[in-house]
Amino acid sequence: MMTVIQPESSSLEEQLNLRNRFLETINRIHSAQSIRQILLDVNAHILTLFNAHAITIYAVDGATSTIYSMFLSGSEIQEIRVPISDTSVAGYVANHRAIVNIADAYDADELHAIDPALAFDQTWDHQTGLRTRQMLAVPILYSQELMGVIQIINRKGGGRFTDEDQQFLIEVAVTLGVAFYNRQRSGRRYRSRFDYLVSKGLITAEDVQTATEDAQREKISTVSYLMRTFAIPRAEIGKSLEVFYGCPFIGYDDRLPAPTALLSKLNPEYLRRECWVPLDCADGVVRVAIDDPDNVLKHDAIAVLYPNYTVSYQVALPEEIHKYIARFFNKAESASIDQIIESLDAGEGSDISALEEEEAYAETDSEIVQLVNRLINDAVVRRASDIHIEPNTGKRNIDVRYRVDGECLIYQTIPYGYRNAIVARIKVMSNLDITERRKPQDGKILFNRPSGESIELRVATVPTVGGVEDVVMRLLVKGGTLPLEEMALSPSNFTGLCGIAEKPYGMILVVGPTGSGKTTTLHATLQHINTPQRKIWTAEDPVEITQYGLRQVQVLPKIGFDFAAAMRSFLRADPDVIMVGEMRDLETAKTGVEASLTGHLVFSTLHTNSAPETVVRLLDMGIDPLNFADSLLGILAQRLVRTLCPQCKAAYHPSREEYDGMVELFGAEWWEPYAVPYTDDLRLYRPVGCADCEKTGYRGRMGLHELLISTLEVKTLIQKRETVEAIRSVGMQQGMTTLLQDGILKCFAGYTDLKQVRRVCIK
């Protein structure tokens, strides 16, 4: 057992206090997860053991023959680096593995008496304005291998550091030697978070430097930039962080419950700013996900928040920490929906019939506000696109349904007595007339989530039988642009769409029902051609997706600034490309055709069922067939189909009858170019259900596409006002796959099943 020598401690009480502080410091050294943490955090605790003003702990960097230390300057971490040579006291101690005890560092005679080559580097004193006098420096060794140097500076009260001080510092150095060796052995040989990736040849050091600079310009994390630009797998990023910080890497797990007790004293804004979050607590150990496990300031703050617990740190990506915070506080900031309803009942007593006497609850009551916020927040968490609030007549409860991946699912039933207050609250949020209950109303809500994310909701109220009102809220989550390569286009459709999008002028239409992803596809296509050489104007209602390089305009029909007016203004603003959110009327359609004929590339959407039907629809609106045929480049029809959950989908071998039925549905005459032969190895997939997909067997959606290219033959049919079937037949002969055919091919690829394809398309 180590013998602790007590420097200048005369009383038994002082010796006992010193011993306790020493043991506490030893524990801190051994519990530090990295050398970096020792340099930044533990040094201050070691200093309390000595009668000195300052302390510096150096670690060895064998690659550069230097010793280095770190210190905090405000909130920034700075580094000191000293060569292993006789040009400084610490360098001399490292070079000779000798102990140096100096009364005055500026006394050249005293230094030369130790070694004629020994010199004191005054650089640090000049930078700080302090004057170094007494110095005691001891090498940190492990089995005679140099690990670093520890030095204490300026003895309080003056005079040389005592022999007791020296022996005590040697004992601390022995402990540091063991700790440094263990941290190095556990893989902490890297000086950068991404050195592991460099050592594996995934990127170069120059790539890391470039990524750091570019990520700062784009205001994203370096990790996100590396994963996006260099296609670094997330698992490799995690391993790189693990070996650098010396602690486990943790990813996002949406099944981890919110640690309500640990979050009770915390503010989500504080956690987002500091980038850490508690995950759980077991056996007195709080597990914390943090972006920088070596950050001393964060350690101290966390220790204050959880004084009676041991903290175990796990490194995580900032984006995933923010996802944890958003989800935890979405659950923890307010009670569950059932608890809110219970509190409403408790507040009003058991006489719920009183609530039916209209205004027992007002739209401004805190419980009603909390209830509506809960409905919206839960909809975002469950990836819902729409919220349906459906009051019933009499004393039947209110049904609340979410549309998730295109399908309505029951979310909650709420006692009937709150129907007026809930509807009124939503009207207040969307600036609608709460006294008007006989006519439909439309409005919008800008809703700020606890995570800091802002979402827009499009609100529609509709009077229904019995004097009640339904409310439907569509969630318009603002986001970035998906690359065209990620839009699930087949190779032929991808090539065809890119080909027509790169034309200098003409019209491209994306068609389909509401919520089929038309705007997402348009923005992906615009991103494909978005270069500094092109001026691109967009008119949208609302602007859901923002994209750098586009000049985006929000139309306001209530003041007469509709799509047609926006297009006319664009034509006076020197455009190369124009995107119009929707062709709702003849004027907008005619303006779009004229713009495409005068040298502009025009993109727009239309609500039609298929690409060939779009032609007939526009001609029926009154568009001149000759002009339309000349301007049209192509029409992309689109649907969104639910995809099988990748975690639980089950492979099976289809029967010959099932296979033949799918081929017949596809069209046997069109099957040969895409033929997937019936063999014993053929596999289709069916839904199963798990926690990830909420037992539905499906998670997420993907696009089905039908691309009609305006060839010479198609233009001739348009000019002749031919039927939908005639246009479809020619298109298929020239390589067009229908929506149904594209869906069947994606069934064979394992993305979805035939049931879901048949739900969204007929032909």
Side-chain angles (χ1 to χ4, degrees), residues 8 54 65 75 90 123 132 148 176 272 320 335 357 405 441 451 468 509 546 560 610-611 619 693:
E8 295 189 347
S65 297
S75 60
T123 304
T132 301
L176 288 172
R272 275 189 290 273
E320 296 186 342
E357 303 299 327
D405 294 337
Q441 297 185 70
S451 63
V468 296
L509 301 174
T546 57
S610 69
L619 295 179
C693 59

Side-chain angles (χ1 to χ4, degrees), residues 218 224-232:
E218 294 186 28
S224 297
Y225 187 92
L226 288 171
M227 293 172 69
R228 184 191 72 190
T229 306
F230 296 97
I232 305 296

Side-chain angles (χ1 to χ4, degrees), residues 76-136:
E76 296 292 323
I77 296 175
Q78 305 291 335
E79 185 180 89
I80 311 168
R81 190 163 284 272
V82 175
I84 299 178
S85 68
D86 297 348
T87 56
S88 67
V89 173
Y92 174 87
V93 170
N95 195 24
H96 296 274
R97 291 167 170 74
I99 298 172
V100 171
N101 190 344
I102 302 171
D104 187 353
Y106 282 81
D107 186 341
D109 292 337
E110 183 180 4
L111 297 180
H112 292 160
I114 298 172
D115 191 303
L118 178 60
F120 172 64
D121 184 357
Q122 301 178 15
T123 304
W124 182 247
D125 280 11
H126 293 158
Q127 290 178 354
T128 61
L130 300 175
R131 191 184 190 286
T132 301
R133 294 188 180 277
Q134 301 84 16
M135 295 183 69
L136 174 60

Side-chain angles (χ1 to χ4, degrees), residues 326-337:
R327 185 165 65 82
F328 286 172
F329 279 88
N330 187 37
K331 292 184 177 180
E333 68 158 3
S334 62
S336 70
I337 192 79

Side-chain angles (χ1 to χ4, degrees), residues 462-737:
V462 183
T464 54
V465 66
V468 296
E469 293 177 278
D470 275 32
V471 179
V472 179
M473 295 184 282
R474 165 149 290 190
L475 281 72
L476 307 172
V477 181
K478 295 184 182 295
T481 307
L482 283 174
L484 196 58
E485 292 80 2
E486 296 181 14
M487 299 302 295
L489 289 157
S490 67
S492 60
N493 285 339
F494 178 80
T495 303
L497 182 58
C498 290
I500 60 176
E502 289 162 3
K503 300 287 186 183
Y505 56 86
M507 177 182 287
I508 299 172
L509 301 174
V510 180
V511 302
T514 300
S516 59
K518 300 186 297 296
T519 302
T520 303
T521 300
L522 276 181
H523 269 277
T525 310
L526 289 176
Q527 186 189 52
H528 182 73
I529 62 171
N530 183 6
T531 64
Q533 291 75 37
R534 284 191 176 96
K535 179 62 177 282
I536 304 176
W537 286 99
T538 76
E540 303 169 70
D541 184 22
V543 177
E544 298 178 51
I545 300 171
T546 57
Q547 185 178 158
Y548 180 77
L550 272 57
R551 310 311 302 155
Q552 297 178 257
V553 173
Q554 168 79 55
V555 299
L556 299 168
K558 290 182 179 180
I559 63 171
F561 185 50
D562 55 14
F563 285 122
M567 283 198 69
R568 288 194 298 270
S569 67
F570 291 168
L571 292 174
R572 297 188 293 270
D574 188 30
D576 293 306
V577 181
I578 296 172
M579 192 269 270
V580 184
E582 185 182 343
M583 287 189 171
R584 294 176 178 171
D585 50 47
L586 176 61
E587 184 181 3
T588 307
K590 285 180 66 176
T591 308
V593 170
E594 291 169 3
S596 64
L597 291 173
T598 53
H600 306 100
L601 186 60
V602 177
F603 293 84
S604 190
T605 72
L606 218 66
H607 289 118
T608 55
N609 290 323
S610 69
E613 289 176 40
T614 306
V615 174
V616 176
R617 167 75 181 279
L618 285 169
L619 295 179
D620 288 344
M621 285 174 61
I623 295 294
D624 180 75
L626 296 177
N627 288 341
F628 181 50
D630 287 342
S631 68
L632 184 65
L633 292 174
I635 303 171
L636 180 73
Q638 179 167 315
R639 296 289 188 280
L640 291 179
V641 63
R642 299 176 81 192
T643 52
L644 294 163
C645 175
Q647 301 298 325
C648 66
K649 67 179 181 180
Y652 72 97
H653 178 60
S655 66
R656 184 75 200 199
E657 292 75 15
E658 182 179 358
Y659 174 84
D660 290 341
M662 294 178 71
V663 172
E664 183 180 353
L665 194 61
F666 187 93
E669 67 273 27
W670 310 109
W671 181 242
E672 185 176 350
Y674 312 98
V676 177
Y678 184 79
T679 65
D680 292 340
D681 296 330
L682 179 62
R683 293 289 181 269
L684 295 178
Y685 293 84
R686 60 166 60 101
V688 177
C690 65
D692 281 353
C693 59
E694 298 186 5
K695 305 299 182 182
T696 64
Y698 301 94
R699 183 175 176 86
R701 291 189 288 176
M702 73 186 309
L704 305 182
H705 304 97
E706 174 181 291
L707 179 62
L708 176 67
I709 302 292
S710 182
T711 61
L712 182 60
E713 293 81 3
V714 172
K715 291 179 184 292
T716 301
L717 295 177
I718 295 173
Q719 292 168 353
K720 293 180 178 180
R721 290 180 174 269
E722 286 287 354
T723 64
V724 171
E725 288 303 324
I727 297 172
R728 178 180 289 113
S729 177
V730 169
M732 294 177 70
Q733 291 171 17
Q734 297 180 346
M736 180 185 82
T737 54

